[in-house]
Coordinates of all heavy atoms in Angstrom, one line a residue:
V58 N -0.9 13.9 -19.6 CA -1.8 13.8 -18.5 C -1.2 13.2 -17.3 O -1.3 13.7 -16.2 CB -3.1 13.0 -18.9 CG1 -4.0 12.7 -17.7 CG2 -3.9 13.6 -20.0
Q61 N 1.1 15.8 -15.6 CA 0.4 16.8 -15.0 C -0.2 16.3 -13.6 O -0.1 17.0 -12.6 CB -0.7 17.4 -15.8 CG -0.2 18.3 -17.0 CD -1.3 19.1 -17.6 OE1 -2.1 19.7 -16.8 NE2 -1.4 19.1 -18.9
L62 N -0.7 15.1 -13.6 CA -1.2 14.5 -12.4 C -0.1 14.4 -11.4 O -0.3 14.7 -10.2 CB -1.9 13.2 -12.7 CG -3.2 13.2 -13.5 CD1 -3.6 11.8 -13.9 CD2 -4.3 13.9 -12.7
R65 N 0.8 17.8 -9.9 CA -0.2 18.3 -9.0 C -0.2 17.6 -7.7 O -0.6 18.2 -6.7 CB -1.6 18.3 -9.7 CG -1.7 19.2 -10.9 CD -3.1 19.1 -11.5 NE -3.2 19.8 -12.8 CZ -4.4 19.8 -13.5 NH1 -5.5 19.2 -13.0 NH2 -4.4 20.5 -14.6
L95 N -11.1 6.9 -5.8 CA -10.7 8.0 -4.9 C -10.8 7.6 -3.5 O -11.9 7.2 -3.1 CB -11.5 9.3 -5.2 CG -11.5 9.7 -6.7 CD1 -12.9 9.1 -7.3 CD2 -11.5 11.2 -6.9
F110 N -14.1 7.3 -16.5 CA -13.8 8.3 -17.6 C -13.6 7.5 -18.9 O -13.3 6.3 -18.9 CB -12.5 9.1 -17.2 CG -11.3 8.2 -17.3 CD1 -10.4 8.2 -18.4 CD2 -10.9 7.5 -16.2 CE1 -9.3 7.5 -18.5 CE2 -9.7 6.7 -16.2 CZ -8.9 6.7 -17.4
D112 N -12.2 9.8 -21.7 CA -11.1 10.6 -22.2 C -10.1 10.8 -21.1 O -10.5 11.4 -20.1 CB -11.6 11.9 -22.8 CG -10.5 12.8 -23.3 OD1 -9.3 12.5 -23.1 OD2 -10.8 13.8 -23.9
P113 N -8.8 10.4 -21.1 CA -7.9 10.6 -20.0 C -7.8 12.1 -19.6 O -7.5 12.4 -18.4 CB -6.6 10.1 -20.6 CG -7.0 9.1 -21.6 CD -8.2 9.7 -22.2
R114 N -8.1 13.0 -20.5 CA -8.0 14.4 -20.1 C -9.0 14.8 -19.1 O -8.9 15.9 -18.4 CB -8.0 15.3 -21.3 CG -6.9 15.1 -22.3 CD -6.7 16.2 -23.3 NE -6.2 17.4 -22.6 CZ -4.9 17.7 -22.2 NH1 -4.0 16.8 -22.5 NH2 -4.6 18.8 -21.6
E115 N -10.1 14.0 -19.0 CA -11.1 14.2 -17.9 C -10.5 14.2 -16.5 O -11.0 14.7 -15.6 CB -12.2 13.2 -18.0 CG -13.1 13.3 -19.3 CD -14.1 12.1 -19.4 OE1 -14.8 11.9 -18.3 OE2 -14.1 11.4 -20.4
L116 N -9.4 13.4 -16.4 CA -8.7 13.3 -15.1 C -8.2 14.6 -14.6 O -8.1 14.8 -13.4 CB -7.6 12.2 -15.2 CG -8.0 10.8 -15.6 CD1 -6.8 10.0 -15.9 CD2 -8.7 10.2 -14.4
L117 N -7.9 15.5 -15.5 CA -7.3 16.8 -15.1 C -8.4 17.7 -14.5 O -8.1 18.7 -13.9 CB -6.7 17.5 -16.3 CG -5.5 16.7 -17.0 CD1 -5.0 17.5 -18.2 CD2 -4.4 16.5 -16.0
D118 N -9.7 17.3 -14.6 CA -10.7 18.0 -14.0 C -10.9 17.7 -12.5 O -11.6 18.3 -11.8 CB -12.1 17.8 -14.8 CG -12.1 18.4 -16.2 OD1 -11.3 19.4 -16.4 OD2 -12.7 17.8 -17.0
L119 N -10.3 16.6 -12.1 CA -10.4 16.2 -10.7 C -9.7 17.2 -9.8 O -8.6 17.7 -10.1 CB -9.7 14.8 -10.5 CG -10.4 13.6 -11.1 CD1 -9.5 12.4 -11.0 CD2 -11.8 13.4 -10.5
D120 N -10.3 17.5 -8.7 CA -9.7 18.5 -7.8 C -8.8 17.7 -6.8 O -9.2 17.3 -5.8 CB -10.9 19.2 -7.0 CG -10.4 20.3 -6.1 OD1 -9.1 20.4 -5.8 OD2 -11.2 21.1 -5.7
L121 N -7.5 17.6 -7.2 CA -6.6 16.8 -6.4 C -6.3 17.5 -5.1 O -6.0 16.8 -4.1 CB -5.3 16.6 -7.2 CG -5.4 15.9 -8.5 CD1 -4.0 15.5 -9.0 CD2 -6.3 14.6 -8.4
A122 N -6.4 18.8 -5.0 CA -6.1 19.5 -3.7 C -7.2 19.1 -2.7 O -6.9 18.8 -1.5 CB -6.1 21.0 -3.9
A131 N -16.6 13.3 -5.9 CA -16.9 12.6 -7.1 C -17.3 11.2 -7.0 O -16.8 10.5 -6.0 CB -15.7 12.7 -8.1

Side-chain angles (χ1 to χ4, degrees):
V58 171
Q61 286 195 48
L62 291 173
R65 293 181 189 181
L95 308 97
F110 71 96
D112 181 352
R114 300 197 67 82
E115 295 174 49
L116 297 169
L117 299 178
D118 294 330
L119 292 172
D120 188 342
L121 298 193

